[in-house]
């Protein structure tokens, strides 16, 4: 608990690493993720560092792997290979280059075969189609045949006519199936054409025009027997080609599969190596030039583990002289480390989003675990919506180890998934506040029987039967005996859901509730500042800052809270005419204060420490005005809960009730889409939109009104050197 | 009669949240999470008890009653005790 309340105690340590075992020691530290390295060569730029060549080699390997990643599949389990030794690096490099060359060759071969197949297919089509053309049996004419893209055929025809002017005859027909264009890979429609012409010169011109339009020309058979022979030959060749292509595909798949087993390992290994060399660049040599010195921030409790890791590293590298660690004193402020588990990390994240705490100051997170969902629930309070939210969060929590849920690319889903425990707490508290507000999908539950009795109004002869027939709305009078039989034991009385002056009562109740909760929350924040004053040995602050702050807050706003409770307890229905307005009373109290402020002003002139006093005066004025504005800020608890209740009621009245009121048998079928619409609107507007809104406002109340009473949040987070924190490039590219 | 209902509700809730906030924390086993769990229990008890208390005190001495439509009055007259 000490760690979550305050953060770990950190120290600065010096590591003395033998040059032979430096790589292994840093490897060990990277696996454990214990310490944060400081840069001992801040003036040196990246290209002048000692291990710049090794880092260049690593980046070269990463480049090759980058290209291959897109083709291969991903491994099933969680693999964690260790970083390779420098002597193994060359072997990996060679393997990678060989793989690159092989893959390149196979792909080129496959392309060639595919082009071949396309030519043969086109030839077959051409032969088949031209068989149907009218045969000109003139011996003088020469035939040219081929295929051209459908989009170009008209221009082709026009050009032929213009150039050759009737010395050529062109016939063409479209090919039914789509053929794949080898350059773009898109299916295109082609047209088979047959040109017959006389004369050599015309032949040249025709050939030039065909070239221009990128036609694929094939030899035209002179007789039918020749045609059938060629067709037979083509058919066998196409079959062979299909087989060869099939085999090539299989081979390519095999190569890729074999590669994929190792590529993932290689990616991680290269990343780890690069990280180790990066850290080695941060270290400096000592005077004898045989030993590497590194400065690290380390939690005091982890120093024994650090020693053991260095021993392990030295042993692995077979060094004779072991590396050791030495704690050194420092005046620098260490970074802040707060150890969290999967439950507390969500809440710590929302505190850190405002600002990481200073070293060893009080951490608001352990209190936020409960107060944040509670304030959310005060604004969200609906039993039915709370149940849905809690069930959704429970599903995420129970299946949190499911890989598919954990590792999706969707940013919005990841945000919800990371906050699954927060959403679970919010849902559970919303169930409780929904029970107290007596609001379940805008309807009230009547578990214990209402405290208000209509019958008593009739029995006391205040209302007569004629009254019901005449008037539209009648008000119950609590002064009449038997009408009000005591407060409802669990929450708001269900009769208020049926009343037309419901909001008059609820608004008064919720505003007072907001002020009470706000003052208590803020007092709690002021009291937490005592922890900081005591820890940092600022006892004078305890008397000069904390005590005046608390007195101011409690004497003014504590008095307001006292008045609220007093009015609730003392004034009954009999004195309803005499019950004073708390707000008017409070404002009057403030207005009477004005003259005394002048007297305070005169004392200021006597103080000599102008600077310190100015700072203190600003803080005092800020605090006092802040108290007023912050207390008013808590009224958003009332505002949002009112908005939620009203939206819920509107949805019920305008959607669900319309479906339920149809009492014909058609109403049964009508109810199904109406309920569907009701469910969709409930989830999208009331759960998602209102949920996000209440989340935001609860967060603001914590960040501003609560935390500015004691939290500075200007610290630096402890970022240990750890291989598990390196982003895997798979995740980076969204493939994982 | 009305008083009795109020007293019973008050004692039950005070006892319930008092046990959760004051008694259960003593039985949490020692471990790294003991501090967090105890904080959570105490805060939950305080927040939930306070919330319930505000709700019941606000209705203890109502200064005005609910305004109901005549249809509702007719229904409640016959169906509620």
């Amino acid at each position: 608990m000490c760690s979550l309340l305050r953060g770990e105690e950190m120290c600065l340590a010096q590591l003395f690493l033998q040059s032979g075992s430096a790589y292994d020691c840093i490897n060990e530290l990277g696996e454990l993720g214990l310490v944060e390295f400081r840069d001992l060569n801040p003036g040196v730029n990246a290209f002048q560092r000692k291990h710049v060549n090794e880092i260049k080699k690593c980046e070269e390997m990463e480049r090759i792997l980058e290209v291959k990643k897109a083709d291969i599949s991903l491994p099933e389990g969680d693999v964690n290979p260790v970083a390779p030794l420098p002597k193994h690096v060359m072997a990996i490099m060679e393997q990678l280059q060989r793989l690159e060359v092989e893959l390149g060759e196979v792909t080129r071969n496959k392309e060639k075969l595919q082009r071949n197949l396309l030519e043969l297919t086109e030839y077959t089509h051409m032969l088949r189609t031209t068989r149907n053309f009218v045969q000109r049996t003139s011996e003088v004419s020469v035939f040219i045949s081929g295929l051209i893209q459908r989009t170009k055929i008209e221009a082709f025809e026009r050009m032929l006519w213009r150039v050759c002017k009737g010395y050529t005859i062109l016939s063409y027909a479209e090919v039914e199936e789509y053929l794949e264009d080898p350059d773009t890979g898109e299916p295109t429609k082609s047209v088979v054409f047959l040109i017959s012409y006389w004369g050599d010169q015309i032949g040249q011109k025709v050939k030039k025009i065909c070239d221009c339009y990128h036609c694929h020309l094939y030899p035209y058979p002179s007789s039918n027997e020749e045609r059938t022979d060629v067709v037979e030959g083509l058919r066998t060749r196409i079959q062979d080609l299909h087989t060869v292509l099939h085999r090539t595909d299989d081979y390519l798949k095999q190569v890729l599969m074999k590669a994929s087993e190792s590529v993932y390992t290689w990616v991680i290994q290269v990343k780890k190596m690069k990280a180790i060399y990066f850290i080695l660049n941060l270290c400096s040599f000592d005077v004898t030039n045989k030993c590497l010195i590194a400065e690290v921030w380390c939690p005091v409790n982890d120093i024994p583990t650090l020693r053991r890791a260095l021993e392990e590293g030295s042993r692995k590298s077979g060094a004779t002289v072991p590396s050791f660690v030495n704690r050194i004193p420092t005046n620098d402020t260490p970074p802040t480390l707060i150890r969290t588990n999967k439950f507390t990390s969500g809440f710590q994240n929302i505190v850190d989003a405002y600002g990481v705490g200073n070293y060893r100051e009080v951490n608001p997170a352990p209190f936020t675990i409960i107060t944040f969902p509670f304030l959310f629930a005060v604004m969200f309070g609906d039993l039915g919506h709370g149940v849905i939210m809690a069930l959704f969060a429970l599903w995420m929590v129970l299946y949190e180890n499911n890989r598919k849920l954990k590792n999706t690319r969707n940013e919005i889903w990841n945000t919800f998934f990371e906050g699954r425990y927060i959403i679970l707490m919010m849902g559970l508290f919303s169930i409780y506040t929904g029970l107290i507000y007596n609001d379940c999908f805008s309807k009230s539950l009547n578990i214990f029987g209402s405290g208000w009795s209509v019958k008593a109004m009739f029995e006391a002869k205040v209302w007569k039967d004629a009254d019901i027939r005449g008037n539209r709305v009648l008000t119950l009078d609590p002064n009449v005996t038997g009408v009000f039989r005591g407060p409802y034991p669990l929450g708001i009385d269900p009769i208020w859901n049926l009343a037309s002056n419901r909001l008059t009562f609820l608004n008064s109740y919720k505003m007072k509730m907001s002020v009470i909760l706000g003052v208590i929350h803020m007092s709690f924040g002021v009291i937490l500042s005592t922890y900081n004053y005591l820890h940092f040995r600022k006892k004078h602050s305890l008397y000069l800052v904390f005590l005046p702050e608390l007195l101011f807050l409690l004497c003014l706003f504590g008095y307001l809270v006292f008045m609220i409770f007093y009015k609730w307890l003392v004034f009954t229905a009999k004195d309803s005419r005499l019950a004073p307005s708390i707000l008017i009373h409070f404002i009057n109290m403030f207005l009477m204060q004005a003259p005394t402020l002048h007297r305070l002003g005169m004392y200021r002139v006597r103080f000599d420490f102008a600077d310190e006093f100015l700072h203190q005066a600003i803080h005092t004025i800020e605090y006092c005005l802040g108290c007023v504005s912050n207390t008013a800020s808590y009224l958003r608890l009332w505002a949002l809960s009112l908005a939620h209740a009203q939206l819920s009621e509107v949805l019920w009245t305008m959607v669900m009730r319309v479906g339920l009121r149809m009492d014909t048998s058609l109403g049964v079928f009508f109810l199904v889409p109406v309920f569907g619409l009701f469910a969709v609107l409930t989830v999208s507007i009331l759960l998602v939109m209102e949920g996000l809104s209440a989340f935001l406002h609860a967060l603001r109340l914590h960040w501003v009104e609560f935390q500015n009473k004691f939290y500075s949040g200007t610290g630096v987070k402890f970022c240990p050197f750890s291989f598990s924190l390196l982003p895997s490039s798979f995740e980076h590219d969204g493939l994982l | 009669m009305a008083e009795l209902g109020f007293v019973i509700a008050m004692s039950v809730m005070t006892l319930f949240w008092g046990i959760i906030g004051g008694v259960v924390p003593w039985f949490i086993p020692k471990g790294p999470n003991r501090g967090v769990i105890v904080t959570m229990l105490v805060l939950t008890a305080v927040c939930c008890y306070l919330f319930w208390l505000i709700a019941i005190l606000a209705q203890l001495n109502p200064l005005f009653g609910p305004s109901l439509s005549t249809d509702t009055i007719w229904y409640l007259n016959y169906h509620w005790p």
Side-chain angles (χ1 to χ4, degrees), chain A residues 54-70:
Chain A
E54 282 87 348
I55 293 191
K56 276 211 195 104
K57 262 197 281 194
C58 292
E59 284 183 346
E60 175 68 26
M61 285 196 272
E62 273 186 338
R63 184 197 58 80
I64 299 180
L65 287 169
E66 194 73 30
V67 179
K68 296 296 153 254
K69 260 198 316 235

Side-chain angles (χ1 to χ4, degrees), chain A residues 320-589:
Chain A
T320 44
V321 186
S323 315
F324 58 94
V325 62
N326 196 16
R327 202 174 147 171
I328 53 178
T330 173
N331 278 335
D332 291 340
T333 325
T336 313
L337 168 66
I338 298 184
R339 291 198 208 270
T340 53
N341 55 27
K342 65 183 179 187
F343 178 72
T344 52
S345 63
F347 299 99
Q348 187 63 53
N349 277 342
I350 59 180
V351 169
D352 284 345
Y354 173 79
V356 176
N358 288 346
Y359 179 62
R360 301 285 278 176
E361 80 164 334
V362 162
N363 178 23
F367 311 107
T368 306
I369 298 178
I370 295 292
T371 56
F372 176 76
F374 177 67
L375 287 184
F376 171 88
V378 169
M379 292 191 270
F380 193 73
D382 188 306
L383 183 62
H385 300 151
V387 166
I388 298 177
M389 188 179 270
L391 285 178
F392 171 61
L394 196 63
W395 169 70
M396 282 197 287
V397 167
L398 289 177
Y399 285 90
E400 66 187 355
N401 289 322
N402 181 339
R403 283 194 85 225
K404 229 177 12 172
L405 282 182
K406 253 199 308 200
N407 298 325
T408 52
R409 275 179 279 159
N410 194 341
E411 277 294 323
I412 298 183
W413 165 258
N414 273 340
T415 315
F416 278 104
F417 186 72
E418 288 295 312
R420 58 195 182 279
Y421 286 103
I422 307 181
I423 300 180
L424 181 64
M425 298 294 284
M426 288 174 0
L428 292 175
F429 272 99
S430 297
I431 295 177
Y432 181 75
T433 56
L435 205 58
I436 302 290
Y437 283 152
N438 216 345
D439 189 353
C440 177
F441 296 114
S442 84
K443 296 284 141 206
S444 288
L445 304 172
N446 191 355
I447 309 173
F448 299 99
S450 174
W452 293 83
S453 165
V454 168
K455 274 204 170 86
M457 291 292 278
F458 285 100
E459 280 161 12
K461 300 280 189 287
V462 180
W463 289 348
K464 296 170 262 305
D465 281 331
D467 286 324
I468 300 193
R469 260 168 261 137
N471 303 331
R472 301 270 322 275
V473 167
L474 294 170
T475 309
L476 277 84
D477 185 358
N479 277 321
V480 175
T481 36
V483 172
F484 177 63
R485 295 179 304 193
Y488 193 69
L490 187 66
I492 303 292
D493 201 300
I495 199 166
W496 289 105
N497 203 345
L498 309 167
S500 61
N501 62 347
R502 172 175 182 232
L503 284 182
T504 318
F505 170 72
L506 280 184
N507 284 348
S508 160
Y509 154 66
K510 284 184 180 174
M511 285 174 102
K512 291 176 180 173
M513 170 202 71
S514 309
V515 169
I516 295 173
L517 289 179
V519 172
I520 293 181
H521 199 209
M522 287 193 290
S523 314
F524 181 52
V526 173
I527 291 175
L528 274 183
S529 65
T530 55
Y531 274 79
N532 279 338
Y533 297 142
L534 286 174
H535 177 83
F536 291 113
R537 307 244 191 292
K538 292 209 227 154
K539 266 223 155 113
H540 54 90
S541 287
L542 211 56
Y543 301 113
L544 299 177
V545 183
F546 162 70
L547 219 50
E549 281 184 353
L550 193 66
L551 272 177
F552 180 83
L553 188 61
L554 290 184
C555 289
L556 280 176
F557 298 97
Y559 178 59
L560 179 63
V561 170
F562 166 74
M563 280 200 287
I564 294 175
F565 277 106
Y566 186 76
K567 186 173 175 186
W568 276 343
L569 291 170
V570 169
F571 287 88
T572 63
K574 291 184 199 33
D575 336 284
S576 58
R577 283 186 191 280
L578 313 163
S581 160
I582 296 180
L583 200 56
I584 309 281
H585 187 89
F586 193 60
I587 293 175
N588 285 343
M589 186 177 78

Side-chain angles (χ1 to χ4, degrees), chain A residues 265-335:
Chain A
T265 318
W266 285 334
V267 166
I268 297 190
Q269 282 184 320
V270 168
K271 270 225 153 2
K272 285 191 180 178
M273 228 172 39
K274 192 167 156 197
I276 295 180
Y277 279 119
F278 186 76
I279 294 291
L280 280 174
N281 274 342
L282 299 180
C283 309
S284 70
F285 272 106
D286 78 332
V287 269
T288 62
N289 244 19
K290 279 212 224 91
C291 177
L292 224 55
I293 303 184
E295 263 183 29
V296 297
W297 289 112
C298 180
V300 169
N301 291 337
D302 279 342
I303 296 249
T305 325
L306 179 58
R307 281 214 179 89
R308 270 200 302 274
L310 286 180
E311 279 167 17
E312 183 72 19
S314 305
R315 190 184 57 79
K316 273 201 187 141
S317 66
T320 44
V321 186
S323 315
F324 58 94
V325 62
N326 196 16
R327 202 174 147 171
I328 53 178
T330 173
N331 278 335
D332 291 340
T333 325

Side-chain angles (χ1 to χ4, degrees), chain A residues 592-611:
Chain A
M592 287 203 303
Q593 284 281 347
T596 53
L597 275 175
H598 290 318
R599 235 181 284 149
L600 268 175
M602 290 208 286
Y603 277 106
R604 282 185 205 182
V605 185
R606 298 213 192 147
F607 277 76
D608 273 329
F609 322 123
D611 220 28

Side-chain angles (χ1 to χ4, degrees), chain A residues 78 114 119 125 142 191 207 322 349 376 380 406 415 458:
Chain A
D78 283 321
Q114 273 173 332
E119 278 174 20
H125 278 302
V142 185
V191 169
K207 285 211 180 74
N349 277 342
F376 171 88
F380 193 73
K406 253 199 308 200
T415 315
F458 285 100

Side-chain angles (χ1 to χ4, degrees), chain A residues 382 384-385 388 440-443 647-660 670-687:
Chain A
D382 188 306
H385 300 151
I388 298 177
C440 177
F441 296 114
S442 84
K443 296 284 141 206
L647 270 175
S648 194
E649 193 174 319
V650 160
L651 198 60
W652 172 270
T653 322
M654 301 271 161
V655 179
M656 203 62 194
R657 223 167 75 107
V658 169
L660 287 171
F670 187 57
L671 195 56
V672 174
V674 163
F675 177 74
L677 185 63
F678 176 74
V680 165
L681 287 176
T682 297
V683 169
S684 62
I685 296 182
L686 288 172
L687 282 176

